[in-house]
């Protein structure tokens, strides 16, 4: 005969079981539903674009199914009577099949994308309006030369130093210089860093500043538009930025002091 203490302990353990399993079940079920919903949405966007990247779609669908499959362990633990027909071994087998299918389609998709041409930016931003970002940097004009260096993504990889990088006279900039970058893409910011920690530079008496430009907000998750563009035009955009440079202008009161020979373009 069960004592009151036994009943209370049993109720407490059941509450603990539910308290642990319920959030896990909800979390993985919700994650699976969200992934499947997003995949269905992009599937119809692929259809609207006139094609479907089947390996990508299937890998994402099975990823969503896998999350729901994992949640079955939690739901089976909570609703052990109602889901008694679904043993833990069956759930494990279901998850193994789903995970295997997800891995196969992901591998196929990876092989497909690896054949795409690497792109530093999606080509559709070439039609966007030109914007200008700038930054000013104090400098030591008593030096023979001030070397500016940096690697940039120029539009259509059409980099010609005498066209894309210009040094312009400005009599107001006697103790600093100004870098203006004409670009297309998301809002971006210019960064200038003095390379004063490199002993090699000091050895050769070089005064070097590094110039960079980055988008202010960068989202590592690709947009649906980028995903469709990537598969349609076979451009690998997994590590691309919404940023491409048209021209760099350096304004200074001493143009002969500025050396831009080390401002170059990426190879792709």
């Amino acid at each position: 005969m069960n004592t009151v203490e036994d009943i209370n302990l049993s109720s407490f353990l059941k509450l603990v079981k539910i308290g642990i399993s319920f959030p896990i079940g909800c979390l993985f079920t919700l994650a699976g539903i969200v992934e499947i919903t997003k995949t269905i949405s992009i599937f119809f966007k692929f259809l609207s674009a006139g094609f479907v990247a089947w390996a990508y779609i299937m890998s994402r669908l099975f990823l969503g199914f896998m999350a729901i499959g994992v949640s079955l362990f939690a739901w089976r633990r909570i609703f052990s009577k109602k889901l008694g027909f679904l043993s833990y071994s069956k759930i494990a087998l279901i998850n193994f099949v789903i995970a295997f299918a997800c891995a196969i389609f992901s591998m196929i998709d990876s092989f497909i994308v690896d054949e795409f041409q690497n792109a530093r930016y999606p080509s559709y931003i070439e039609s966007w309006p030109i914007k200008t970002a700038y930054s000013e940097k104090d400098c030591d004009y008593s030096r023979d030369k001030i070397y500016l260096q940096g690697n940039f993504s120029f539009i259509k990889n059409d980099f010609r130093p005498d066209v894309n990088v210009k040094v312009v006279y400005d009599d107001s900039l006697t103790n600093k210089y100004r870098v203006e970058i004409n670009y297309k893409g998301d809002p971006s910011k210019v960064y200038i860093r003095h390379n004063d920690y490199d002993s090699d530079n000091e050895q050769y008496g070089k005064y070097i500043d590094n110039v960079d430009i980055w988008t202010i907000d960068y989202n590592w998750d690709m947009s649906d538009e980028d995903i469709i563009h990537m598969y349609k035009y076979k451009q690998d955009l997994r590590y691309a930025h919404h940023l491409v440079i048209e021209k760099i202008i350096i304004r200074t009161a001493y143009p002969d002091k500025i050396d831009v020979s080390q401002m170059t373009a990426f190879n792709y």
Side-chain angles (χ1 to χ4, degrees), residues 111-180:
F111 287 148
I112 292 172
V113 175
D114 285 344
E115 294 299 317
F116 292 173
Q117 180 183 3
N118 288 323
R120 301 199 67 86
Y121 67 93
S123 58
Y124 62 78
I125 71 172
E126 293 176 1
S127 63
W128 290 12
I130 297 175
K131 302 175 184 177
T132 300
Y134 68 90
S135 181
E136 294 182 350
K137 180 71 172 176
D138 293 337
C139 61
D140 182 6
Y141 279 117
S142 67
R143 295 293 189 116
D144 291 336
K145 287 287 184 181
I146 295 172
Y147 295 86
L148 303 187
Q149 65 180 15
N151 290 326
F152 305 91
S153 298
F154 285 91
I155 194 164
K156 298 179 181 178
N157 294 325
D158 184 20
F159 176 66
R160 291 167 291 166
D162 57 329
V163 174
N164 298 105
V165 182
K166 291 285 188 181
V167 180
V168 177
Y169 174 72
D170 187 327
D171 60 4
S172 66
L173 299 171
T174 56
N175 60 352
K176 59 185 176 181
Y177 61 85
R178 176 186 175 102
V179 176
E180 296 179 359

Side-chain angles (χ1 to χ4, degrees), residues 232-263:
K232 184 173 184 178
Y233 296 100
K234 295 180 170 51
Q235 298 175 352
D236 186 354
L237 301 178
R238 290 175 295 181
Y239 308 104
H241 291 257
H242 286 185
L243 174 65
V244 61
I245 310 304
E246 281 220 336
K247 183 179 289 188
I248 299 175
I249 302 171
I250 296 92
R251 300 187 184 277
T252 172
Y254 305 99
D256 58 318
K257 294 278 189 176
I258 302 293
D259 186 308
V260 296
S261 61
Q262 297 181 64
M263 301 188 78

Side-chain angles (χ1 to χ4, degrees), residues 20-209:
I20 295 173
S21 300
F22 184 76
I24 294 175
C26 288
L27 178 64
F28 280 94
T29 299
L30 180 62
I33 291 173
V34 169
E35 185 62 36
I36 292 171
T37 302
K38 287 171 60 178
T39 303
I40 292 174
S41 173
I42 197 170
F43 168 75
F44 284 106
K45 290 179 181 179
F46 273 123
L47 286 180
S48 297
F51 73 105
V52 177
W54 286 107
Y56 172 81
I57 291 295
M58 296 304 294
S59 67
R60 304 307 300 184
L61 278 177
F62 277 108
L63 184 64
F65 293 148
M66 189 163 58
I68 293 176
V70 172
S71 73
L72 289 178
F73 286 106
W75 299 131
R76 172 62 173 79
R77 186 171 177 79
I78 296 172
F79 305 108
S80 55
K81 292 182 179 179
K82 293 183 178 180
L83 297 178
F85 67 93
L86 199 59
S87 65
Y88 288 115
S89 59
K90 288 181 180 178
I91 296 175
L93 179 61
I94 291 171
N95 277 279
F96 173 78
V97 173
I98 293 174
F100 181 77
C102 182
I104 291 297
F105 282 110
S106 295
M107 190 180 302
I108 294 172
D109 181 59
S110 180
F111 287 148
I112 292 172
V113 175
D114 285 344
E115 294 299 317
F116 292 173
Q117 180 183 3
N118 288 323
R120 301 199 67 86
Y121 67 93
S123 58
Y124 62 78
I125 71 172
E126 293 176 1
S127 63
W128 290 12
I130 297 175
K131 302 175 184 177
T132 300
Y134 68 90
S135 181
E136 294 182 350
K137 180 71 172 176
D138 293 337
C139 61
D140 182 6
Y141 279 117
S142 67
R143 295 293 189 116
D144 291 336
K145 287 287 184 181
I146 295 172
Y147 295 86
L148 303 187
Q149 65 180 15
N151 290 326
F152 305 91
S153 298
F154 285 91
I155 194 164
K156 298 179 181 178
N157 294 325
D158 184 20
F159 176 66
R160 291 167 291 166
D162 57 329
V163 174
N164 298 105
V165 182
K166 291 285 188 181
V167 180
V168 177
Y169 174 72
D170 187 327
D171 60 4
S172 66
L173 299 171
T174 56
N175 60 352
K176 59 185 176 181
Y177 61 85
R178 176 186 175 102
V179 176
E180 296 179 359
I181 299 182
N182 297 334
Y183 71 95
K184 294 184 177 183
D186 292 336
S188 301
K189 184 176 180 180
V190 177
Y191 300 89
I192 305 173
R193 175 175 52 84
H194 182 54
N195 204 4
D196 57 0
Y197 55 82
D198 191 334
S199 60
D200 288 340
N201 294 339
E202 295 300 325
Q203 177 183 350
Y204 294 103
K206 289 185 177 180
Y207 188 102
I208 298 179
D209 284 349

